[in-house]
Amino acid sequence: MDEESRSLTERLRRESGGSAAFERLAATGDHDELAEVLTAPAQPLWARELAAFRLGLTGDRRAFEALVLLLNHRDPPRCASAAYALARLDDPRTARAAAALATNELRVAYALHPVRLLVELRAPESVPALITTLRRRLRPHDPYRRVALACVEGLGALGDTRATPVLDEALAHPALAEAAVHALARIPRQR
């Protein structure tokens, strides 16, 4: 069991009160049983998260919708676990969904994990979404510096020349300047 799986399991075990239902879901190898939890009424959030995470890690695309909802949750550990599972799900819809969440101004407070997921996916949607999100964060007194910093670092990791103008703009922001210098150094110079 990897660290992300172990962390999720322990967090959800505490959340469930260590119930027998939790232990059953954590141990089952039956994908249909896990998928049923995602659609059955009156399931607790911990059960839906555990089922979606476990299905996602196995590449079962029935987990997609639940994982996208969790990626946009107000609780950062849920977002992180969903991003981890989505990166391993290998569903072609993932990058488009992450880009939509990262660029949604009404949900920008929860955009950190979608931004990080886009960087990990390295999909065609990644650079345009990160540029859009970062450009919006460059306004004076923007409260979402962690999201802006994740965009700057991610654009550097992706190394796409389209990011150069927005990274140049980020140089003027003291909280982002050092990261922008490093990001720009990773982008090949245009001739």
Side-chain angles (χ1 to χ4, degrees):
M1 181 182 292
D2 62 29
E3 185 56 38
E4 188 65 35
S5 298
R6 188 176 0 274
S7 175
L8 172 121
T9 301
E10 290 309 312
R11 177 173 54 81
L12 296 183
R13 180 175 281 123
R14 285 190 305 274
E15 197 173 311
S16 73
S19 68
F22 169 83
E23 297 302 336
R24 187 185 75 254
L25 277 178
T28 188
D30 184 347
H31 288 202
D32 291 334
E33 180 181 354
L34 291 169
E36 189 175 307
V37 170
L38 299 178
T39 57
Q43 293 295 312
L45 182 57
W46 65 259
R48 292 185 194 280
E49 182 179 3
L50 180 60
F53 182 84
R54 293 197 59 222
L55 287 170
L57 292 186
T58 65
D60 189 320
R61 292 184 179 172
R62 292 178 287 183
F64 177 77
E65 287 83 6
L67 289 171
V68 169
L69 288 172
L70 291 165
L71 181 63
N72 196 33
H73 198 274
R74 68 181 178 274
D75 185 15
R78 291 195 202 288
C79 300
S81 295
Y84 182 84
L86 281 164
R88 284 140 189 84
L89 182 60
D90 196 31
D91 189 303
R93 301 171 291 175
T94 301
R96 192 169 49 250
L101 293 174
T103 59
N104 183 342
E105 274 300 288
L106 298 176
R107 302 288 293 173
V108 70
Y110 310 110
L112 182 62
H113 292 285
V115 164
R116 289 178 177 164
L117 177 59
L118 284 166
V119 175
E120 185 173 354
L121 294 174
R122 296 182 164 273
E125 296 88 346
S126 297
V127 171
L130 268 60
I131 289 171
T132 297
T133 302
L134 177 56
R135 187 161 279 126
R136 292 172 180 166
R137 306 284 58 85
L138 296 179
R139 291 179 277 207
H141 312 294
D142 185 84
Y144 305 108
R145 284 292 172 221
R146 289 185 66 209
V147 173
L149 185 58
C151 288
V152 169
E153 292 169 348
L155 288 168
L158 294 171
D160 190 302
T161 57
R162 293 175 292 173
T164 302
V166 74
L167 289 172
D168 283 338
E169 290 175 46
L171 291 170
H173 297 264
L176 303 174
E178 184 177 343
V181 167
H182 293 295
L184 285 164
R186 296 178 76 181
I187 295 175
R189 295 200 176 247
Q190 293 179 321
R191 297 182 195 266

